[in-house]
Amino acid sequence: PELVIRGADDPIVPRAWARELADLAPNGRYAEVGDTGHTVNYMAPRALARAVRLFIRDVPYTGDRSAAP
């Protein structure tokens, strides 16, 4: 699974590109954070964390821990 997060006002990465990247990935998801630009992690860390939490919550657990440290 892959989560692509984009700031709604990002002047660098076009919305279409971010959506396409999410669409190309198996189980890919696109999330957009409002009122932010390219540095979502700096401009809206709580909104970013929420998007990641929701994504992780919805990812099915396979029970395979072979890659775990």
Side-chain angles (χ1 to χ4, degrees), residues 5-6 11-13 27 29 31-32 34 44 50-51 55 57 64:
I5 301 175
R6 179 185 177 275
I12 298 171
V13 178
N27 299 314
R29 183 180 300 171
E32 192 166 278
R50 182 176 191 280
F55 177 71
R57 181 194 69 189
D64 179 13

Side-chain angles (χ1 to χ4, degrees), residues 25-47:
N27 299 314
R29 183 180 300 171
Y30 173 79
E32 192 166 278
V33 177
D35 298 322
T36 60
H38 188 68
T39 55
V40 176
N41 59 321
Y42 178 75
M43 298 176 79
R46 288 179 190 232

Side-chain angles (χ1 to χ4, degrees), residues 2 4 7 9 12 14-19 23 25 34-37 46-47 52 62 65:
E2 181 175 319
V4 177
D9 302 321
I12 298 171
R15 180 177 287 119
W17 290 5
R19 285 187 180 277
D23 289 342
D35 298 322
T36 60
R46 288 179 190 232
V52 171
T62 65
R65 295 196 177 262

